[in-house]
Amino acid sequence: MKMVYFAVGCGGVLGSILRFLFDQLFSRTFLPLSSGILIVNLLGCFTIGLFLSLNSKRFSSLFKIAFSTGFLGSFTTFSSFSMKALDLFMEWGLRTSAIYVSITIIGGFCSVQLGQSIAMKIEKSSL
C-alpha cells in the first residue's frame, strides 16, 4: 500500500513541474493571456481521455494510479485554472475571463472525447 502513495507522489511531482514549465513557456511565447494553463488543461483532458480509455491490460494498476491521479492530477489543477480566470477578470474584465473559462471547459470536454476516440481506434487496431 505504501508503494501506491510513493507512486502517486512521484507522479505528482513530475506533473506539477511540467505544468509550471508549460505555463512559463506558453505564457511567454504563445499567447500571453494565461495560455500556458489553458494548453495544460486541454492537453491533460486529452491525455486522461486517451489513457483511461485504453485497454486496462496495457498498464499495471500502480502505473495507472500514479499517472492518472498523481501526474495528471497535478499537471491539470482546477485551482490553477480558477486563479487564472480570476486574474483575467481582475485585469481584463468579465468578457476575457468568460472567454477563457468557456474555452477551457468546452475544450476540455472535446479533448477528453478526442482522447477516447483515439484510444478506441488504438484498441481496434491492436486486436
Side-chain angles (χ1 to χ4, degrees), residues 45-120:
C45 288
F46 167 79
T47 304
I48 202 163
L50 175 70
F51 179 72
L52 293 181
S53 297
L54 288 172
N55 186 334
S56 62
K57 295 176 186 173
R58 291 181 185 270
F59 308 103
S60 71
S61 59
L62 185 61
F63 180 80
K64 281 191 264 184
I65 193 91
F67 187 73
S68 62
T69 301
F71 180 79
L72 290 174
S74 67
F75 183 63
T76 62
T77 63
F78 190 72
S79 57
S80 294
F81 159 71
S82 299
M83 188 68 226
K84 291 293 182 179
L86 181 60
D87 287 346
L88 287 173
F89 175 75
M90 300 300 281
E91 187 172 340
W92 296 89
L94 179 61
R95 181 175 182 211
T96 301
S97 181
I99 289 169
Y100 175 75
V101 168
S102 298
I103 290 171
T104 300
I105 292 171
I106 293 168
F109 287 147
C110 293
S111 296
V112 169
Q113 176 59 42
L114 178 62
Q116 288 178 334
S117 297
I118 291 172
M120 289 172 59

Side-chain angles (χ1 to χ4, degrees), residues 3 6 9-10 17 22 24 28-29 34 38 42 44 53 59-60 63 65 68 70 73 75 93 100 108 116-117:
M3 191 62 173
F6 179 74
C10 288
I17 290 170
F22 266 65
Q24 295 297 304
R28 289 185 186 156
T29 60
S34 299
L38 174 62
L42 296 178
S53 297
F59 308 103
S60 71
F63 180 80
I65 193 91
S68 62
F75 183 63
Y100 175 75
Q116 288 178 334
S117 297

Side-chain angles (χ1 to χ4, degrees), residues 22-38:
F22 266 65
D23 188 35
Q24 295 297 304
L25 174 69
F26 287 110
S27 291
R28 289 185 186 156
T29 60
F30 187 57
L31 297 170
L33 296 177
S34 299
S35 61
I37 294 297
L38 174 62

